[in-house]
Amino acid sequence: MYKSCEWVPPILQLIAKERDFSPEKFSCSVCSEVLKDPATIPCGHTFCAQCVTTHWDREDCRSWHTCPQCLEEFWPRPVLIRNTTLEDEIKAVRDKAAAFVYAQPGDAACDMCPRKKRKAVSACMGCRISYCESHIWDHYNGKDAYKTHTLVKPGINLKDNVCPIHHQYVTKYCCTDNHMVCPTCATRQHEGHKITSTRTEMKRRKAVMLSEEERLEAQLLHHQEVRKKIEKMIDGLTSRADSEGQLRSVRFLWLIQLMQRRQYEVEDEITMHKRSLQKLEDHVEQELSELRRQQVELDSLSLTQDPAQFLLKYHQLSELKENPHFVSDHLPPCFIFKLMEALIDIPLRLSNCTNLGLAMTQNPLLGQQPITREQYLNYAVNISLDPNTAHRRLVLSEENCKISVVKQEQDYPAHPARFSHVLQALSNQELTGRRYFEVQWQKQPKFLGFTYKKIGRKGKRDDCILGMNDKSWALHFYHSKTSLWHNGEEVEIMSFYKVNRVGVYLDQTAGNISFYDVDQEMCQLAKVQTVFQKPVYVAARFTEKKNSLEFVKLK
């Protein structure tokens, strides 16, 4: 039921508001519209020039003429006097009112206006039409035919609320097919399905959204705390590194001939850790932006009152990501404080210890990464391959430590973790912390590296190929050349002789991967420095026939 009201043209409402006059002073009492070419007659009343002329033309059969408003008689017929002051005043406000009355780009237009479309003020769910203030009059006047209609804000695409087959308003929701339907579709095409009303489904989905909002708020608070910790770590790293710069130079004079190269490496590691923290901060900022965007989408959707529009937008809503791995769980340790402790400890250990190798490994600075193969073996791990990930042309043997390429595809059972098109396989072991393993082969296996568990498995997309996405890192062997691949970018390392046995050292916390030639006294082939957000898996990729590799049992 709508309130009955006397309709006033929108421009008159604006004129009255701007000039602090009643709308009647700017309207013609003959046509009830805004004065057009206002003319004032001797009695003081003002009308549209055409309206009063037409009125007097009808009275030409008499010897006198009257005012259409007060009926005062005039003889002879008066001469119309144009009211230019009032005309200029109306013109000034009319220009300002154009945006108020007529639809601009992006506004919902009235479907009933025949020519120049006015801005719609309401949309009727019953008529499925948008109306301006003049054409919505029948609804406001409370006619019986419109009492059951529902008015909503304009701008909604009402065609989405209508069944394209039966041209009925969609008021039902099929829970079985997750689809909005009209009553006829619910009883015919969706017979036997679980059917509910769109309003009920909207209430259920809003309850789900409420829990999602709570989860997003918790994640926002968590990420904000992580960001504060990272900012403190960066500030502490910068200030301590600056204040202790001279002290580092003095300490390194004790080892100038033996440790000059290590001194430069320390400076590089400080820069590296600072960059790692900055990258981690950028990652947290991206996560925060994504969480805020999801929160805005949920807030906007929760304000939708129309059930059909709510459910339509709900399906279009971007998928809410789960983030079980919080960044704070993988924050790298504050390197600068351990560095300064190690620098103070170096002279004492070197002066009191005759075994220089022992002193270097016992000191946290000098022994941050092992040097000899015996030291690397302290972190040894036996790697075996997961048969559920191996491509059908890869055969595992030797307790799944050896992998070979064959011509004929094997009859492996279907598994969601299996690579369907790329000759790849992943390890059984999920690696964290410090780990070392060795690989040997007769013919180079092309690609050897690490990847996150979420690397793609189906198809030949870059998302599935080792080294071609941001989830994996790979060392590529090609004749006497080797290169590193990550996210589709290649970095050529060097040219070297043929390698048959490679040692691989992983420091997952520090973000370090190192490859060594075991037969040449641990000569370093390549090194990767990055930031790992999650545990990683060993991965091997082949591109040629009759190829194989074997992970050596070290313990």
Side-chain angles (χ1 to χ4, degrees):
M1 187 85 180
Y2 304 102
K3 294 182 179 179
S4 177
C5 61
E6 183 178 356
W7 180 77
V8 179
I11 189 172
L12 289 184
Q13 299 178 17
L14 185 61
I15 293 175
K17 182 178 180 181
E18 290 284 332
R19 306 300 180 185
D20 197 21
F21 289 128
S22 61
E24 290 79 5
K25 293 186 177 292
F26 296 92
S27 62
C28 175
S29 60
V30 176
C31 63
S32 299
E33 293 289 342
V34 182
L35 288 168
K36 185 177 181 181
D37 299 328
T40 303
I41 61 178
C43 63
H45 293 126
T46 303
F47 308 92
C48 299
Q50 183 60 42
C51 291
V52 70
T53 299
T54 303
H55 175 74
W56 283 346
D57 288 344
R58 295 194 191 101
E59 297 181 336
D60 281 344
C61 59
R62 300 184 300 184
S63 58
W64 68 91
H65 298 80
T66 60
C67 170
Q69 187 169 342
C70 66
L71 301 181
E72 182 177 346
E73 298 179 354
F74 307 105
W75 185 88
R77 178 172 175 166
V79 178
L80 293 179
I81 301 174
R82 189 173 181 179
N83 193 331
T84 56
T85 302
L86 186 59
E87 184 178 11
D88 293 342
E89 190 174 5
I90 293 175
K91 184 177 181 302
V93 181
R94 186 187 294 275
D95 294 339
K96 186 175 181 180
F100 175 79
V101 176
Y102 296 105
Q104 302 298 318
D107 293 337
C110 175
D111 295 323
M112 299 297 294
C113 292
R115 295 178 182 174
K116 191 171 183 179
K117 299 290 186 180
R118 295 192 177 194
K119 184 187 297 185
V121 296
S122 294
C124 179
M125 304 302 293
C127 303
R128 299 193 289 274
I129 289 177
S130 298
Y131 295 97
C132 63
E133 289 199 15
S134 60
H135 292 110
I136 199 68
W137 169 250
D138 289 336
H139 290 74
Y140 286 149
N141 199 32
K143 290 187 176 182
D144 294 339
Y146 304 108
K147 287 183 179 180
T148 59
H149 289 197
T150 301
L151 295 181
V152 297
K153 291 182 179 180
I156 296 177
N157 189 357
L158 299 176
K159 294 181 180 179
D160 293 336
N161 294 9
V162 180
C163 175
I165 301 175
H166 303 105
H167 305 289
Q168 296 179 356
Y169 184 56
V170 288
T171 58
K172 302 295 182 181
Y173 186 84
C174 177
C175 299
T176 305
D177 296 335
N178 289 326
H179 189 65
M180 294 179 295
V181 295
C182 69
T184 303
C185 288
T187 56
R188 294 181 182 177
Q189 287 87 344
H190 296 264
E191 183 180 1
H193 293 185
K194 184 180 179 181
I195 304 295
T196 183
S197 67
T198 53
R199 189 169 298 278
T200 302
E201 183 65 15
M202 181 179 71
K203 290 180 180 179
R204 188 184 72 82
R205 296 292 176 94
K206 282 192 174 183
V208 175
M209 287 173 52
L210 182 60
S211 63
E212 291 294 337
E213 287 177 348
E214 294 175 353
R215 182 182 64 83
L216 285 174
E217 290 178 1
Q219 290 190 8
L220 280 171
L221 292 175
H222 175 81
H223 281 71
Q224 289 170 354
E225 292 177 359
V226 172
R227 184 178 62 178
K228 291 179 181 179
K229 292 180 181 179
I230 294 175
E231 290 174 351
K232 289 181 180 179
M233 293 177 71
I234 293 176
D235 293 340
L237 173 64
T238 304
S239 61
R240 190 70 182 270
D242 294 342
S243 63
E244 300 291 351
Q246 184 177 1
L247 179 60
R248 288 198 306 273
S249 299
V250 173
R251 297 290 184 184
F252 272 112
L253 288 177
W254 290 77
L255 303 169
I256 190 64
Q257 294 184 356
L258 296 176
M259 310 306 301
Q260 187 176 25
R261 184 171 63 88
R262 185 55 177 158
Q263 181 180 9
Y264 294 126
E265 291 179 357
V266 167
E267 300 295 337
D268 292 340
E269 289 199 65
I270 291 175
T271 303
M272 174 196 68
H273 278 262
K274 186 174 180 179
R275 289 176 180 174
S276 298
L277 287 172
Q278 289 173 341
K279 288 182 180 178
L280 199 56
E281 183 184 31
D282 294 340
H283 180 75
V284 173
E285 285 291 344
Q286 292 176 2
E287 294 260 352
L288 283 171
S289 299
E290 176 64 17
L291 290 171
R292 292 193 183 102
R293 183 189 67 76
Q294 294 182 15
Q295 190 177 42
V296 170
E297 289 185 6
L298 288 175
D299 290 343
S300 175
L301 185 56
S302 63
L303 297 176
T304 303
Q305 300 298 322
D306 177 55
Q309 288 297 316
F310 173 86
L311 296 174
L312 181 67
K313 293 179 180 179
Y314 186 93
H315 289 302
Q316 297 173 352
L317 189 65
S318 59
E319 182 182 2
L320 302 178
K321 299 190 300 181
E322 294 292 338
N323 188 11
H325 299 284
F326 291 119
V327 180
S328 62
D329 298 335
H330 306 284
L331 288 179
C334 191
F335 170 76
I336 188 65
F337 300 107
K338 294 183 178 180
L339 170 65
M340 297 314 303
E341 293 175 2
L343 283 172
I344 296 173
D345 185 58
I346 288 175
L348 180 62
R349 287 193 177 273
L350 291 181
S351 61
N352 295 334
C353 184
T354 57
N355 188 336
L356 180 60
L358 178 61
M360 293 179 68
T361 56
Q362 288 179 344
N363 185 272
L365 171 61
L366 303 178
Q368 187 173 5
Q369 182 166 324
I371 299 176
T372 65
R373 183 171 182 268
E374 289 71 22
Q375 294 170 1
Y376 280 108
L377 290 177
N378 293 328
Y379 307 102
V381 59
N382 291 333
I383 299 296
S384 62
L385 296 169
D386 184 357
N388 290 327
T389 66
H391 185 271
R392 295 182 185 276
R393 285 185 54 201
L394 298 177
V395 175
L396 303 184
S397 59
E398 305 293 338
E399 298 180 354
N400 294 336
C401 292
K402 185 176 181 180
I403 181 170
S404 305
V405 182
V406 296
K407 292 183 178 180
Q408 187 174 0
E409 291 190 354
Q410 305 300 301
D411 189 20
Y412 292 148
H415 197 281
R418 189 177 308 283
F419 290 99
S420 62
H421 291 77
V422 185
L423 299 179
Q424 288 180 172
L426 303 186
S427 65
N428 282 309
Q429 294 78 12
E430 182 182 69
L431 303 184
T432 58
R434 294 185 177 190
R435 295 289 185 268
Y436 175 78
F437 61 91
E438 294 180 358
V439 187
Q440 63 184 10
W441 52 71
Q442 295 296 326
K443 189 176 181 181
Q444 293 175 339
K446 292 303 182 182
F447 290 89
L448 177 68
F450 296 87
T451 180
Y452 292 139
K453 186 176 182 179
K454 287 190 176 181
I455 189 173
R457 309 301 172 98
K458 309 303 178 185
K460 291 186 177 181
R461 308 183 311 273
D462 288 348
D463 185 58
C464 304
I465 302 176
L466 185 66
M468 299 301 293
N469 49 68
D470 60 356
K471 304 180 184 67
S472 59
W473 298 259
L475 186 65
H476 178 210
F477 301 93
Y478 185 72
H479 299 302
S480 62
K481 186 185 78 171
T482 182
S483 58
L484 284 170
W485 283 85
H486 173 64
N487 203 16
E489 297 182 1
E490 180 185 17
V491 178
E492 186 172 341
I493 304 301
M494 57 181 286
S495 297
F496 60 96
Y497 46 85
K498 184 178 179 181
V499 178
N500 295 322
R501 185 163 180 158
V502 170
V504 183
Y505 173 73
L506 167 71
D507 190 342
Q508 191 263 350
T509 304
N512 175 22
I513 305 174
S514 300
F515 298 88
Y516 299 94
D517 183 355
V518 178
D519 296 331
Q520 296 295 325
E521 298 182 354
M522 302 300 288
C523 175
Q524 188 176 76
L525 304 175
K527 182 177 181 180
V528 176
Q529 189 63 54
T530 184
V531 177
F532 292 116
Q533 305 296 336
K534 304 172 185 176
V536 294
Y537 291 79
V538 180
R541 172 186 162 206
F542 300 90
T543 58
E544 295 182 358
K545 301 177 182 178
K546 296 182 181 180
N547 207 336
S548 64
L549 67 83
E550 182 179 0
F551 290 92
V552 181
K553 289 187 178 182
L554 299 177
K555 63 178 182 178

